[in-house]
Amino acid sequence: ALRRRDSPAHCADARDLMCRYLLPEPGAALNGNRVVRLEVLKELAEHWLAFDVLVEVCDQDQDVQQLQEYAKMYATNYGPEFHMAVCKYYQSKGLWKRLIDLQMPSESVHAKTLHEFLERHNPAVAGAYGIRSKEWAQGARNFENAAETQRDLKVKRAELSLAKLALRANGGGQREEVEVDRKLQVLKIQDTFLKGEVLSPEGLIDELCRTAERSDTDDEQLALLKAAMEVAEEILWTKGPEKAKTVWAKSWSIQAKDWEELSEVLREGLITDEKANERLQKTLFFRLGDMHHETLNRQVFETLRRDGKLEGGLHWLGLLKELEDQLFPTAGPVPS
């Protein structure tokens, strides 16, 4: 006769036969025939080490005590395999809460297997399990990981908020908490100005700039560009500086006609310097620069000078220089 585990293919065949002919339908009436079939099924499953069948039988009968007995029985030789079968069964049924609620005798083996399984297959539940186990750092990390791929804005914000609470409970992680706060701020900006699926910070900046271009009033445009700049400032440690240049370029090009008109009257001497300064200070570019000096530097102006969009209007360059001098009035060199 075949010994257990000698032939995985034969084991799989045996499992299929057991389930097809012996496993009752869920919710079937309890009678003598059903009891006999379950007893035979359990004996065969124990022989073939069909752990998933044993877990399913226990779940159908809501027999947690029997499941715990099996955990003890297989602890020495097959502990991790049995606990993995438990995890996979409840995953297949979508019963995540019941899975993390299980109290198993070999707690350390079960906890390790369960934690690794949840991290791979459901980081959000892994976060909840970590917090329940008072493993605050693990819980925070898993909630952050879950938020990385979450497209629903409200759910993502909830996951990041739970990560932040777990970090505080851990009694440290100030740098990590600041990073979570940055991500929450970016979500808040999207929720204020744009709805729909969560965008990446870079995608959010681009969409805010496009929306500003379609807006009707200067104040709306300024609010959207200011929001885009705030997102750029929140991600300064990655692609922030480059995306900030995108916002500055948009704040310049969005008023192209105004720049052209202003440069024309200046060239023709139809306006005083004082009036020209007043008009400069009312432009989107200047108003944004007044609020966000942190990302505005000489490099931004150099980028605008090199921008192909300005090639057709070289008289704008003098206007650009005037803006640069007003926003950077110091006599000494300005850091780039």
Side-chain angles (χ1 to χ4, degrees), residues 116-186:
E116 292 174 354
F117 182 84
L118 291 175
E119 281 198 326
R120 287 196 303 273
H121 298 285
N122 196 328
V125 176
Y129 182 66
I131 288 176
R132 177 180 290 191
S133 308
K134 292 185 170 51
E135 297 289 344
W136 307 113
Q138 285 184 356
R141 184 181 68 249
N142 283 307
F143 272 124
E144 277 197 81
N145 289 341
E148 283 298 313
T149 56
Q150 180 57 250
R151 309 294 357 134
D152 185 284
L153 194 146
K154 290 183 179 178
V155 175
K156 188 182 185 85
R157 184 163 49 208
E159 288 170 344
L160 288 172
S161 298
L162 287 167
K164 180 177 176 178
L165 289 172
L167 285 169
R168 286 192 176 180
N170 197 41
Q174 186 175 1
R175 182 179 59 81
E176 292 85 352
E177 190 176 332
V178 168
E179 187 171 337
V180 171
D181 277 334
R182 290 181 186 278
K183 294 175 181 178
L184 284 168
Q185 180 61 22
V186 170

Side-chain angles (χ1 to χ4, degrees), residues 185-203:
Q185 180 61 22
V186 170
L187 287 182
K188 182 179 178 181
I189 291 170
Q190 176 171 347
D191 196 32
T192 301
F193 292 96
L194 302 171
K195 303 301 178 186
E197 195 173 81
V198 173
L199 299 172
S200 68
E202 296 83 1

Side-chain angles (χ1 to χ4, degrees), residues 43-61:
E43 287 184 16
L44 287 171
E46 289 170 15
H47 174 78
W48 288 101
L49 301 179
F51 298 142
D52 54 340
V53 176
L54 294 175
V55 175
E56 186 165 359
V57 170
C58 292
D59 184 59
Q60 279 201 23
D61 280 353

